[in-house]
Amino acid sequence: MDNLAAYTAVPYEGQVTAQTDPDNLAVVGTLLGLKPVPLSGARVLEIGCADGGNLVPMAGRHPTATFVGLDLTPSLIEMAQAYSDRAGLTNVQWIAADIADPDLDLGPFDYILVHGVWSWVPEAVRTAILRRCADWLSPNGLATISYNVWPGWSLRSPMRGMLAWHANHVEDAKQQIARARQLATWLTDLPKNRRLLGAAMRCELSDVAEMTDWYLFHEHLAKDNHPVWFHEFAALAADNGLAYVGDAEFADMVPVDLPSDVQDGIEALATDRLSYEQYLDFARERAFRRTVLAPSGTDVDYGVNSDRLATLHVGGRLFFPGDWTDDDQRQGVTSWPMGVKPKTPDGLVGLVALNAVHKRMWRRIADAWPSTIAVSDAIDGLGDDQGLRQQLLLAYLQHGVRLFTQPRVSHGVTEKPCARQALRAEAHLGRGWLTTAWHRSLGASDMDRALLRILNGEHTVDTIAADLQRSFVRGTLPMPKDLGDTGLDHVLQWLNTRLSAYANAMLLEHP
C-alpha cells in the first residue's frame, strides 16, 4: 500500500504540536542570536498538514500572518478546508500536491513546519523536503523537521518489524491494525524468562494498547520508516543547502537533565556543535528529534546569554508554599510543567527563589497567569536584571515557564462568553482534545465540546444555564458527573466553574 492509499484508508489526525508553533521557532532563533521574522506578517508553510489540526489553530491565533497547508492526500485537504471554513479563516490556503513534484513552487516562507513526515517517506521524498526547505525559506527563515533517530529506535525497530510482518498478511487496513494489536498482546504476555523480549521492549509493546489506530498504522505499520543518526541528518541537510540551528524543544540542547560527570564527558568528547548534539543523543538514548534549520551560511551563536530574553514574554503557572515569605530567605517554588512532565511525585517542576528580589519576580509572573508578562515588566525596577533573566532562562530550560515573542492574553469570562471561533470549529471534530492559546492540547469531554460549540458571544451566562438545565432534565444532554443536581442554581454554579476553567486555558475571547 503506497502512502496516498495508506493515508486515504486511515486518515492521519493533525496533531497539535507545540514545538512547531512559529512563535516557538522565533524564540529558539532569538535565543541563538538570530533575527526571526515577526509573526505579524510572516508566511508559514506546513508540509504534511493532514486535516489541518495543527495549522488551523495557528492561523486563528495569528490573523495577520499567511498560512499554507500542503499534503499529498486530497481527502485530508478537503477535511482541512472544511475545518478552516467553519473557523471563518481567510488567511490559510490548502494545497493537495506531491512535495517531490519538480514544478511545485510555493515560496518564499518565513517558517516551514514538517512534523511526522520525513522519516515516513521514501528517500527521494526526504531529499525533496530538504531541497524545498532550502529553496523556499526566506533569508531569515526557519524550518523545523522531526524524524526518528538512533540509538533510541534500536528497541522500536525490531518491534515495528514484528508487527508489520504479522499485519501485512492481510490487505485491509483495519485488519492490519487488529492483527498488530493481537501480536503485541501475545508478545507482551510471553513468559518473562523468554530472552526475545527484555523489559524495555515489553514496555514498548505494552504501549501499543494505548495508541490510536491512525498512530499505530502510520508509525509502526507504514511501508517507510527510516531512523537515522543525527550526524547523518545534519550532513544531508547541509548537502541540500540548510544549516543546523538547534532543537525546536530548546531545553533538549542543554544537558541540565544529565549528571555533571556526563556533561563533562560530552564536553571532552565533542569537537563542534554537531558532534556535541550527537553525543547528547548517545547519552539520552534519544529516539526522536525536532531539528531547526536555516539557509546555509546562517551564523548561529550558541553562547546563549540571558540578555536575549529582554524582548520576550514569559508565562508559567506557579505555586507557592504555605510558609512563603517576602524576605531574602531562599525558598522553593513549584510550577505546572510547560513541557516534558517531570518524574516527581506531584508531577511539578521545582524552581528556586534565591532572595526577595527573585520572589517579587515570581509573584509578578504568577499574578499574570494565565496571561504572559513581558520579561522586561517581570523584572522592572527590581535590580539585578541579568541575574533575574538568568533565573528565567534556567526555569525555561527546566520546563517551568515558557517564552514567547508575542504576548498570550486571557480575556476572562465576559457577560456573553465567547469561545474562539477556531476552537468552536475544532470542537465539532469530536476529538478528545482542544487547542489552547499556548498551542498545546487540553483534554476535553463530550460535554466540553458541546458547551464550547454554543459559546458564540450571543447568549448570557444565565440564558446558557437555563438552556442547559432544560437539556439535562429532558435527557437531550447527558448530565455531567460533577453536577449532582439539575436545579438551576446548581447548573449555574457548574457552568461558571467550567467557564472559569476555559478562561484559565485561554479558550475564550471577547465577542
Side-chain angles (χ1 to χ4, degrees):
M1 186 181 296
D2 63 22
N3 282 334
L4 178 57
Y7 284 98
T8 301
V10 182
Y12 189 96
E13 292 186 6
Q15 294 177 286
V16 176
T17 308
Q19 292 82 6
T20 63
D21 188 339
D23 191 79
N24 176 64
L25 301 183
V27 168
V28 172
T30 299
L31 293 177
L32 294 174
L34 305 181
K35 297 187 182 301
V37 176
L39 270 68
S40 56
R43 280 177 49 82
V44 182
L45 168 69
E46 183 172 27
I47 298 173
C49 64
D51 60 7
N54 191 44
L55 203 62
V56 168
M58 294 180 192
R61 198 169 57 250
H62 302 292
T64 60
T66 302
F67 295 82
V68 177
L70 175 70
D71 202 280
L72 176 68
T73 313
S75 58
L76 289 174
I77 288 297
E78 291 174 5
M79 294 168 67
Q81 185 69 63
Y83 180 12
S84 63
D85 287 347
R86 184 183 287 274
L89 299 178
T90 59
N91 62 333
V92 59
Q93 176 187 9
W94 306 102
I95 300 173
D98 186 345
I99 190 66
D101 181 351
D103 296 325
L104 189 65
D105 186 10
L106 301 178
F109 293 98
D110 305 304
Y111 298 94
I112 298 178
L113 322 174
V114 191
H115 177 71
V117 177
W118 197 82
S119 285
W120 300 267
V121 292
E123 181 180 3
V125 181
R126 297 198 298 274
T127 301
I129 289 172
L130 294 173
R131 175 48 56 188
R132 289 291 190 255
C133 287
D135 291 344
W136 292 348
L137 274 177
S138 63
N140 290 322
L142 295 171
T144 178
I145 300 178
S146 66
Y147 51 100
N148 292 332
V149 290
W150 307 112
W153 250 83
S154 59
L155 284 175
R156 296 176 187 175
S157 187
M159 178 182 78
R160 164 182 151 75
M162 290 186 285
L163 298 182
W165 177 81
H166 181 68
N168 287 337
H169 282 71
V170 295
E171 290 293 327
D172 181 74
K174 290 184 178 180
Q175 291 182 29
Q176 289 182 4
I177 294 168
R179 286 177 65 86
R181 293 191 187 282
Q182 173 195 44
L183 183 63
T185 300
W186 181 75
L187 289 171
T188 304
D189 292 341
L190 284 175
K192 291 188 170 45
N193 62 354
R194 301 289 297 179
R195 287 190 171 185
L196 173 65
L197 297 174
M201 189 177 291
R202 285 181 188 278
C203 182
E204 292 285 344
L205 284 164
S206 65
D207 287 344
V208 170
E210 305 299 322
M211 294 177 187
T212 60
D213 283 354
W214 59 266
Y215 181 85
L216 173 60
F217 186 73
H218 295 294
E219 176 72 10
H220 292 296
L221 306 183
K223 177 183 177 181
D224 293 288
N225 193 325
H226 306 278
V228 294
W229 294 102
F230 166 73
H231 67 84
E232 293 175 330
F233 178 85
L236 287 171
D239 289 344
N240 285 280
L242 295 165
Y244 172 76
V245 172
D247 200 284
E249 187 60 72
F250 190 82
D252 287 344
M253 298 177 63
V254 185
V256 293
D257 59 314
L258 299 177
S260 58
D261 59 333
V262 176
Q263 296 183 40
D264 292 342
I266 294 173
E267 291 282 357
L269 291 168
T271 56
D272 56 20
R273 185 69 213 186
L274 294 180
S275 64
Y276 185 90
E277 292 287 339
Q278 184 61 81
Y279 288 120
L280 268 178
D281 282 9
F282 294 165
R284 289 178 172 147
E285 299 180 342
R286 194 166 180 175
F288 187 70
R289 266 191 169 266
R290 307 176 183 93
T291 293
V292 179
L293 302 164
S296 287
T298 299
D299 187 16
V300 182
D301 181 3
Y302 295 105
V304 178
N305 63 73
S306 61
D307 292 345
R308 294 174 186 166
L309 274 66
T311 61
L312 302 178
H313 300 258
V314 60
R317 186 180 180 186
L318 305 178
F319 304 93
F320 301 92
D323 60 350
W324 181 264
T325 60
D326 292 327
D327 57 20
D328 279 330
Q329 176 187 354
R330 177 189 175 108
Q331 288 184 282
V333 181
T334 53
S335 171
W336 190 263
M338 308 301 293
V340 178
K341 194 169 185 178
K343 296 178 180 179
T344 56
D346 54 10
L348 298 177
V349 178
L351 307 176
V352 176
L354 298 176
N355 51 45
V357 169
H358 286 195
K359 290 179 176 181
R360 287 197 285 274
M361 177 188 70
W362 290 129
R363 273 295 185 191
R364 290 178 180 180
I365 295 171
D367 290 344
W369 175 266
S371 299
T372 58
I373 181 174
V375 170
S376 58
D377 291 336
I379 66 177
D380 182 49
L382 298 181
D384 190 23
D385 288 6
Q386 185 174 6
L388 293 174
R389 286 195 296 264
Q390 189 66 37
Q391 281 296 109
L392 288 178
L393 180 59
L394 180 60
Y396 172 66
L397 294 175
Q398 295 172 314
H399 302 287
V401 300
R402 295 297 294 184
L403 295 172
F404 302 90
T405 65
Q406 294 186 332
R408 299 289 197 273
V409 179
S410 173
H411 297 289
V413 181
T414 57
E415 181 183 359
K416 295 181 178 181
C418 183
R420 291 182 283 108
Q421 187 173 357
L423 186 80
R424 299 201 304 273
E426 187 177 28
H428 278 278
L429 299 179
R431 294 170 175 166
W433 73 85
L434 294 167
T435 305
T436 72
W438 299 70
H439 204 64
R440 291 182 178 275
S441 297
L442 176 71
S445 65
D446 290 341
M447 186 68 243
D448 287 320
R449 290 190 294 273
L451 179 55
L452 285 161
R453 287 198 297 267
I454 64 175
L455 298 182
N456 58 7
E458 297 179 3
H459 311 288
T460 66
V461 174
D462 289 341
T463 300
I464 296 170
D467 288 344
L468 286 173
Q469 184 202 30
R470 286 191 289 270
S471 298
F472 294 151
V473 171
R474 294 170 182 169
T476 53
L477 275 179
M479 192 172 76
K481 295 179 180 179
D482 57 343
L483 177 55
D485 191 306
T486 56
L488 183 57
D489 288 344
H490 287 87
V491 174
L492 183 60
Q493 182 180 6
W494 174 86
L495 175 60
N496 281 319
T497 299
R498 298 309 303 149
L499 291 175
S500 294
Y502 298 157
N504 284 337
M506 290 193 283
L507 305 183
L508 306 180
E509 64 182 1
H510 285 305

